[in-house]
């Protein structure tokens, strides 16, 4: 229950961090908030020879306003996101989901980007960032590249990040006018990983017809699962009872969870339907800003 | 894996006292506080961030000291349960309320609860039971059933300047 030996690096620049990662690719792990990695080190599930502590990298601790939305750099703590009126105002489901992520003591250290890089299939934030069409900025000795969240998550604990790459941050675009978001999860205990979670957003025109929709489930596949059949049901429809019922059925059908000691596959599938309905009910109940303007 | 431990410098202020120490890079903050500084009020339970017994306050924020390396506290200000009062015989209003409401039984989890709740009360008042249980949810107690802790927290939670 103590970490194995490693060589500790505390680079002071991204270039320095990349140099260390490149030199020890495959035998180095990046330490950000440490709330997922350090348990793995303590259990010796992970025994990297080199630990690259990025907490002293400059300029990565504050969210940055961009031309199209917000950039959340690698060292922004989850607690800082949930306390940022600008971020939770722009993306209400982010604040809602963060309240379900572990506990304040964990969120005080844990970073938004660290949760993405760790990519636990039951984690809330990968699903939320997928539902927001987030783009991940990744640095390597070969330069910088951007990967869409939909392409970033490969499998449980597996991402598109190469061994010598560093996640610099995530870009989230402002939501179009008329958009409402929501997030619901079900967990055995407060702060646990979700048995299932659903993150969603929908954009409606002035007549209340859905023109754009994202529904993403967590905990029921190896990656965040886009509920495309449910989205298709909603596109071009109003969010009335029959549309919600049809989307709920479609969502439960397209989820193919596996069962484990915490919940059976069938129970999880039912949860996806129920949580989808709750997300859509929230969205249906909210009056999109554009409708207010045109009322 | 290196065949020898790597020594690293840590310069940190714990309960108002500055410590400059050399530790193994893999030493957690919890083990540093207990083993090196002999501040054994911080308890180590699960060692993977679930139980909350090792909670301390680092730069004003309650954190799991089992999930931080000691070297990461370099330059930081750390508070442990020993630092809640200046005099070891004194109790903070929160500690006193824990005592009176029987929020302590075996005591193993108590220091973690005190650090979590102390940090929460510095951030703002705790005025209803749902909020109190939310504040307490990051720590595990196997004895008390939490009822006494909720009562203690609510008793002192409305006033935020005593902590």
């Amino acid at each position: 229950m103590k970490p194995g030996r490693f060589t500790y690096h505390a680079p002071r620049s991204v270039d320095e961090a990349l140099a260390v990662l490149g030199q020890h690719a495959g035998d180095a792990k990046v330490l950000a908030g440490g709330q997922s990695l350090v348990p793995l080190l303590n259990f010796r599930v992970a025994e990297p020879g080199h630990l690259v502590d990025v907490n002293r990298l400059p300029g990565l601790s504050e969210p940055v306003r961009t031309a199209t939305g917000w950039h959340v750099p690698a060292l922004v703590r989850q607690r800082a996101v949930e306390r940022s009126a600008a971020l939770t105002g722009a993306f209400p489901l982010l604040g809602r989901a963060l309240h379900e992520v572990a506990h304040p003591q964990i969120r005080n250290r844990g970073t938004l980007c660290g949760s993405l890089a760790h990519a636990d299939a039951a984690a809330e934030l990968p699903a939320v960032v997928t539902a927001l069409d987030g783009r991940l900025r990744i640095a390597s000795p070969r330069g910088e590249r951007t990967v869409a969240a939909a392409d970033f998550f490969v499998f449980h604990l597996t991402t598109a990040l190469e061994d010598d790459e560093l996640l610099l941050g995530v870009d989230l675009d402002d939501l179009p006018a008329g958009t409402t978001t929501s997030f619901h999860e079900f967990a055995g205990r407060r702060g646990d990983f979700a048995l299932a979670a659903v993150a969603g957003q929908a954009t409606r025109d002035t007549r209340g017809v859905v023109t754009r929709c994202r529904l993403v489930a967590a905990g029921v596949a190896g990656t965040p699962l886009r509920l495309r059949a449910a989205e298709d049901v909603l596109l071009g429809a109003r969010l009335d009872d029959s549309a919600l019922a049809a989307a709920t059925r479609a969502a439960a059908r397209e989820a193919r969870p596996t069962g484990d000691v915490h919940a059976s596959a069938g129970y999880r599938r039912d949860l996806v339907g129920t949580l989808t309905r709750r997300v859509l009910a929230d969205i249906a109940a909210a009056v999109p800003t554009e409708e207010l303007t045109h009322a | 894996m290196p065949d020898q431990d790597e020594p690293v410098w840590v310069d940190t202020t714990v309960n108002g006292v500055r410590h400059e120490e050399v530790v193994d890079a893999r030493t957690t903050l919890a083990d540093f506080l207990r083993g090196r500084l002999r501040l054994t009020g911080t308890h180590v339970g699960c060692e993977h961030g679930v139980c909350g017994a090792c909670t301390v306050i680092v730069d004003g924020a309650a954190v799991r000291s089992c999930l931080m390396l000691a070297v990461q506290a370099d330059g930081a200000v750390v508070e442990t349960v020993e630092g809640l009062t200046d005099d070891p015989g004194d109790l903070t209003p929160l500690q006193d309320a824990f005592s009176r409401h029987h929020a302590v039984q075996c005591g193993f989890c108590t220091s973690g609860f005190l650090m979590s709740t102390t940090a929460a009360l510095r951030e703002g008042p705790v005025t209803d039971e749902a909020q109190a249980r939310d504040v307490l949810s990051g720590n595990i107690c196997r004895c008390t059933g939490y009822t006494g802790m909720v009562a203690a927290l609510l008793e002192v939670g409305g006033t935020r300047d005593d902590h």
Side-chain angles (χ1 to χ4, degrees), chain A residues 1 34-44 106 189, chain B residues 28 44-54 64-67 140:
Chain A
M1 296 295 285
Q35 304 301 289
S36 300
L37 178 59
V38 178
L40 296 178
L41 296 177
N42 284 354
F43 279 124
R44 302 204 187 186
I106 300 287
R189 286 170 303 189
Chain B
T28 64
V44 174
C46 72
E47 291 187 86
H48 65 290
V50 173
C51 77
C54 68
R64 310 288 206 222
S65 61
C66 74
L67 297 188
I140 291 174

Side-chain angles (χ1 to χ4, degrees), chain A residues 32-35 55 75-83 98 101-112, chain B residues 55-64 68 115-116 119-120 123:
Chain A
Q35 304 301 289
N55 283 283
L75 293 176
V76 178
R77 310 285 166 188
Q78 291 159 4
R79 204 78 198 286
V81 174
E82 96 189 61
R83 284 179 172 166
L98 274 166
V101 175
H103 305 284
Q105 300 91 330
I106 300 287
R107 301 198 294 272
N108 277 334
R109 290 289 298 170
T111 62
L112 171 62
Chain B
T55 303
V56 299
I57 298 175
V58 176
D59 290 336
V63 302
R64 310 288 206 222
M68 259 184 90
M115 300 318 284
S116 291
E123 291 172 12

Side-chain angles (χ1 to χ4, degrees), chain A residues 1-9 12 27 31-36 38-39 41-44 47-51 53 55-56 79 83 99 102-106 108-109 189-190, chain B residues 1-6 8 25-28 31 44 46-50 55 58 61-64 66-69 71-75 112 116 123 134-135 137-140 142:
Chain A
M1 296 295 285
K2 308 289 179 191
R5 292 190 192 97
F6 51 76
T7 303
Y8 176 80
H9 306 267
R12 301 294 169 137
D27 192 31
L31 174 64
Q35 304 301 289
S36 300
V38 178
L41 296 177
N42 284 354
F43 279 124
R44 302 204 187 186
E47 290 189 271
H50 298 265
L51 208 56
D53 183 351
N55 283 283
R56 314 236 176 221
R79 204 78 198 286
R83 284 179 172 166
H99 192 66
H103 305 284
Q105 300 91 330
I106 300 287
N108 277 334
R109 290 289 298 170
R189 286 170 303 189
R190 175 109 194 74
Chain B
M1 188 193 295
D3 51 15
Q4 287 204 318
D5 268 306
E6 183 193 28
V8 289
R26 60 174 169 154
T27 306
T28 64
D31 286 343
V44 174
C46 72
E47 291 187 86
H48 65 290
V50 173
T55 303
V58 176
V63 302
R64 310 288 206 222
C66 74
L67 297 188
M68 259 184 90
L69 300 172
V71 63
Q72 293 187 289
D74 187 59
S116 291
E123 291 172 12
D134 197 44
V135 166
S137 72
N139 294 67
I140 291 174
R142 298 288 78 157

